[in-house]
Amino acid sequence: MSDIQRVAEQYIAVWNETDADKRRALIAEVFTEDAAYTDPLGAVTGHDGVDGFIAGAQAQFAGLKFSLPSAPDAHHDIARFQWYLGPEGAEEPLAIGFDVITVEDGRIKQVLGFLDKMPG
């Protein structure tokens, strides 16, 4: 497994972790301390910002799971990948997004997110 594949899978695991303490520990493993996250719904920095943003999304989409439909495309320290959000095992996701990440020393330094499909 490539390092980028591992980082993308860890990133998705962070979004799926609903236990606040476990999610916070994963964030510390996956993101640099000064990581920046930006998508159409908000922009945050640091572990506290990322954690709060993810917790808010989990509250809004309770019970839904994120998944990677395919392997990331990467070069240098940059990767892009699509993600799905929906009920586990569903054929059609409720939401589809596309993220571009910058990786520094094996951890995410920046996320630029795009929303392709959102419910309601």
Side-chain angles (χ1 to χ4, degrees):
M1 178 186 321
S2 76
D3 285 346
I4 292 294
Q5 179 72 33
R6 177 189 53 78
V7 170
E9 288 176 1
Q10 288 177 320
Y11 174 75
I12 294 298
V14 169
W15 281 90
N16 285 328
E17 183 54 66
T18 56
D19 179 281
D21 292 333
K22 290 180 183 176
R23 183 179 61 245
R24 185 73 181 180
L26 281 173
I27 288 169
E29 288 178 31
V30 176
F31 291 87
T32 63
E33 289 79 10
D34 61 344
Y37 178 94
T38 306
D39 75 12
L41 304 177
V44 297
T45 58
H47 291 174
D48 289 340
V50 170
D51 186 47
F53 195 83
I54 291 172
Q58 289 177 346
Q60 184 177 1
F61 300 108
L64 302 181
K65 295 288 183 188
F66 287 88
S67 63
L68 288 172
S70 60
D73 180 28
H75 63 83
H76 297 86
D77 60 352
I78 302 166
R80 64 181 181 162
F81 53 86
Q82 190 175 51
W83 52 261
Y84 289 172
L85 175 65
E88 199 160 355
E91 278 189 37
E92 183 68 26
L94 296 175
I96 299 172
F98 182 90
D99 288 349
V100 177
I101 62 171
T102 302
V103 177
E104 181 179 276
D105 297 325
R107 295 164 67 200
I108 296 173
K109 172 91 173 158
Q110 182 180 39
V111 178
L112 301 172
F114 298 85
L115 303 174
D116 298 326
K117 174 185 171 185
M118 287 299 289

